[in-house]
Amino acid sequence: MRLSILDQSPISANQTAKEALNESMRLAQAGEALGYTRYWIAEHHDLPGLACSAPEVMLSYIGANTKKIRIGSGAVLLPHYKPYKIAEVFNMLATLFPNRIDIGIGRAPGGSAEATNALSDKFLQNVWRFPSLINDLLNFLDNTFPEEHEFSKVSASPQPEIAPVPWLLGTSEKSALLAAKNGIPYTFGHFMSDNDGSFIVQQYLDHFKPREQTQKPQIIVTVSAICAETTEKAEEIALSSLIWSIQKDKGDAHQGVPSIQDAKNYKLTIRESEKIESMKRNMVIGNPQELKRKLIELKNTYKADEMMINTITYSPGDRIQSYRCIAKEILS
């Protein structure tokens, strides 16, 4: 089984944003050493406790401090930008770090309405135009605009020897069908969806049309997971991110991911306790053997080629140890 990392670059209560970003770089290095296939970093805007607003900047830093792990956005939020600019940025990354760059593409705003308006005057219109934006981006990457098109003479320079690989990220049938129509790999966000994911992924498989003759559909499923030597320890570590989710819902997450002790001391309402139990059902929490069994079950359910793991903890050491435990059990 191939395993990969999705990093949201969380800021813990005892960290600065700079420290959180440096921990993201260390996580990528650890993932490379442990045998993970790829490392993707997310894009968020003015959201308390999340440090990365510009994946392309962070990928330059991470690429320079790693050697072989694939790196990419998870996701770059295309409706905020012109496809040409995204093609230029990721072609430049692919030139600097050959055969290592992925462009994970999403359509979400990644922040508040105010932040969205500060980024783009036409976000909602561009969400409606998303299929057209995807088409333009692929044409820039592949140099395949028809001769009569106004962009046919425009090059997204520099031109790398090996183009970056586009992936469409989503949680809906609409996103799966769009990926299938364009012949690009698809990533389903299991960790952020209550939809029937296996049906959605099957729609992608059933409708896939290759862009190139030898191309086959590819599926990554992203899960939220926390692993430790014992189930009890994993549950304890997971409490920080669970309480942080409660705090975010209440608009009270500005201090970042709380410590385990602060999470234990947090006074939950009955409704909040029920919500935590619901969130846990959408996560994979446990010891290495439990994680292996659950990840294999999910892989088989989704017919996935690869499982991508998102882990949020208070301690950077606990986060790397979680990825280490999983890798030792599955990749060794």
Side-chain angles (χ1 to χ4, degrees):
M1 185 195 305
R2 293 202 304 269
L3 297 177
S4 290
I5 295 169
L6 174 65
D7 182 13
Q8 294 177 307
S9 202
I11 307 171
S12 294
N14 65 336
Q15 283 183 322
T16 64
K18 179 180 179 180
E19 288 169 337
L21 291 170
N22 279 326
E23 290 300 339
S24 287
M25 184 270 290
R26 293 186 185 98
L27 176 60
Q29 290 176 322
E32 180 172 77
L34 291 166
Y36 283 83
T37 298
R38 69 190 86 231
Y39 166 96
W40 286 358
I41 191 162
E43 174 182 336
H44 294 99
H45 300 284
D46 194 34
L47 289 183
L50 297 175
C52 185
S53 57
E56 64 275 18
V57 175
M58 198 60 195
L59 292 174
S60 296
Y61 180 49
I62 288 170
N65 284 280
T66 53
K67 292 184 173 65
K68 61 182 181 180
I69 191 169
R70 293 194 67 88
I71 57 176
S73 54
V76 62
L77 304 177
L78 186 57
H80 287 310
Y81 313 109
K82 288 281 194 176
Y84 180 55
K85 180 60 176 176
I86 298 304
E88 283 188 320
V89 166
F90 281 85
N91 272 355
M92 187 164 181
L93 287 167
T95 300
L96 289 168
F97 311 113
N99 200 24
R100 294 181 58 195
I101 301 300
D102 298 323
I103 313 178
I105 307 158
R107 78 173 96 204
S112 66
E114 294 80 4
T116 297
N117 289 337
L119 278 163
S120 172
D121 293 330
K122 298 180 179 179
F123 180 79
L124 290 179
Q125 293 95 316
N126 285 339
V127 169
W128 284 105
R129 293 182 57 243
F130 191 65
S132 175
L133 297 178
I134 291 285
N135 185 63
D136 282 354
L137 177 60
L138 295 177
N139 279 319
F140 279 124
L141 293 174
D142 297 341
N143 291 308
T144 50
F145 278 107
E147 187 174 342
E148 66 275 11
H149 197 283
E150 65 171 315
F151 297 150
S152 63
K153 294 181 173 60
V154 177
S155 175
S157 300
Q159 290 286 304
E161 291 186 13
I162 302 175
V165 178
W167 290 75
L168 186 60
L169 282 63
T171 57
S172 68
E173 185 178 358
K174 182 185 292 186
S175 62
L177 291 174
L178 183 59
K181 177 183 177 181
N182 286 282
I184 57 178
Y186 182 59
T187 302
F188 181 78
H190 172 86
F191 76 112
M192 55 189 296
S193 175
D194 294 321
N195 296 328
D196 184 352
S198 59
F199 171 79
I200 290 169
V201 168
Q202 189 62 49
Q203 292 297 297
Y204 167 75
L205 292 171
D206 290 345
H207 293 87
F208 183 82
K209 296 179 180 178
R211 281 157 65 218
E212 300 173 2
Q213 190 171 5
T214 59
Q215 192 175 15
K216 296 181 179 180
Q218 294 182 70
I219 299 164
I220 291 177
V221 172
T222 305
V223 300
S224 177
I226 293 179
C227 186
E229 290 79 4
T230 66
T231 303
E232 293 75 20
K233 180 66 173 175
E235 294 273 1
E236 182 180 65
I237 293 169
L239 189 59
S240 290
S241 65
L242 291 165
I243 294 298
W244 190 45
S245 292
I246 296 293
Q247 292 174 324
K248 284 190 289 185
D249 288 345
K250 296 168 68 174
D252 189 28
H254 293 273
Q255 297 300 315
V257 183
S259 68
I260 293 173
Q261 191 57 52
D262 285 345
K264 287 180 177 179
N265 292 338
Y266 190 85
K267 302 300 182 184
L268 291 165
T269 65
I270 293 174
R271 186 173 181 179
E272 288 170 344
S273 295
E274 291 172 348
K275 183 166 186 179
I276 281 182
E277 291 306 311
S278 176
M279 286 190 290
K280 286 170 69 175
R281 286 193 289 273
N282 214 28
M283 298 174 68
V284 183
I285 304 171
N287 63 50
Q289 295 75 32
E290 290 170 328
L291 264 290
K292 181 178 182 179
R293 185 180 73 251
K294 292 176 183 177
L295 288 174
I296 289 174
E297 287 175 2
L298 285 170
K299 179 182 183 297
N300 292 338
T301 296
Y302 280 103
K303 302 177 183 176
D305 300 288
E306 187 173 322
M307 301 300 294
M308 180 171 275
I309 298 167
N310 172 244
T311 299
I312 293 178
T313 66
Y314 170 75
S315 163
D318 286 339
R319 182 165 65 154
I320 287 178
Q321 180 61 15
S322 178
Y323 284 106
R324 182 178 292 117
C325 286
I326 295 169
K328 184 176 180 181
E329 187 67 26
I330 296 176
L331 300 178
S332 296

